[in-house]
Amino acid sequence: MPVNAVSSVSFGRKNNNAKKADKNQYFKWVSQNQTNNALKMSVGREVENGKFQVASAATKLAGIAGMFASVLTLVNLRNKTYDLISNPTTKEMAFKKLSSFTKKSKIAKVGMIASAGALYTSFIINEVNRKKADKTANERGFLTERDSLKIKNAQENYFVNNHIYNEHIKG
């Protein structure tokens, strides 16, 4: 078979316009997928989602504040211990201060563990909210992450997300 018999077949790479269109379509899909996930969490369950978000934010804030306070306390106690060691005092006075520092240090470490627990609780609250949203997502016209993964064809995934986006955003 002569080489010029297949001259109408392009063996080259995609041209830049086709690559750019593919990238734009992909980025559009990423945005619409995020919108789908955000809407899935709230549309039809706004009050419930709001309660979960406030609870999550409150526990996260408490965890961060507690962690910050615990770290500051431990750093302050360390500095005071160094000062006590470097400045000569009576043994009894040093012992009393060191035992006080030890008690405060234990309290700060317990506070740090409690703060980590609050941060973990915030994560759990978000996961429970997501699971509840996923439970009713299909009834409300949204895709769950599992549904999105079942769609193997990228073009079909783009189409489905575009349809959901148009239905709920553009109404």
Side-chain angles (χ1 to χ4, degrees):
M1 176 169 167
V3 174
N4 57 358
V6 289
S7 62
S8 65
V9 177
S10 173
F11 292 103
R13 294 190 233 169
K14 287 185 177 180
N15 63 19
N16 286 339
N17 290 338
K19 283 183 183 180
K20 190 172 184 178
D22 286 348
K23 281 184 180 180
N24 287 343
Q25 184 66 25
Y26 172 75
F27 292 131
K28 179 181 173 187
W29 173 77
V30 167
S31 175
Q32 288 177 344
N33 195 31
Q34 287 179 335
T35 303
N36 173 63
N37 288 337
L39 290 171
K40 174 187 72 175
M41 296 300 285
S42 63
V43 171
R45 55 185 303 276
E46 288 85 357
V47 174
E48 185 179 15
N49 184 49
K51 288 178 181 179
F52 275 107
Q53 287 185 348
V54 167
S56 175
T59 55
K60 190 181 292 183
L61 183 64
I64 289 170
M67 192 70 73
F68 186 69
S70 295
V71 167
L72 281 179
T73 301
L74 288 172
V75 167
N76 190 22
L77 288 173
R78 187 194 72 175
N79 291 341
K80 286 182 179 180
T81 304
Y82 286 145
D83 288 344
L84 182 66
I85 291 169
S86 64
N87 296 330
T89 58
T90 64
K91 287 184 180 180
E92 290 176 6
M93 185 83 147
F95 182 73
K96 283 183 182 179
K97 286 186 178 182
L98 283 175
S99 65
S100 166
F101 293 168
T102 304
K103 289 176 188 174
K104 289 178 183 177
S105 173
K106 287 179 183 176
I107 292 171
K109 288 177 183 174
V110 169
M112 192 175 287
I113 292 169
S115 299
L119 290 172
Y120 184 70
T121 301
S122 174
F123 171 76
I124 295 297
I125 290 170
N126 280 332
E127 286 301 305
V128 168
N129 188 24
R130 190 179 58 79
K131 291 289 184 189
K132 284 190 170 201
D134 280 350
K135 189 174 183 180
T136 60
N138 290 331
E139 296 169 7
R140 296 179 291 124
F142 297 101
L143 293 176
T144 63
E145 289 176 24
R146 183 175 285 162
D147 294 336
S148 292
L149 292 174
K150 286 180 184 176
I151 302 173
K152 298 293 183 194
N153 183 351
Q155 292 302 323
E156 183 180 344
N157 209 344
Y158 296 152
F159 175 77
V160 169
N161 274 292
N162 198 31
H163 175 71
I164 291 170
Y165 179 82
N166 289 338
E167 183 178 318
H168 291 282
I169 296 293
K170 295 180 180 176

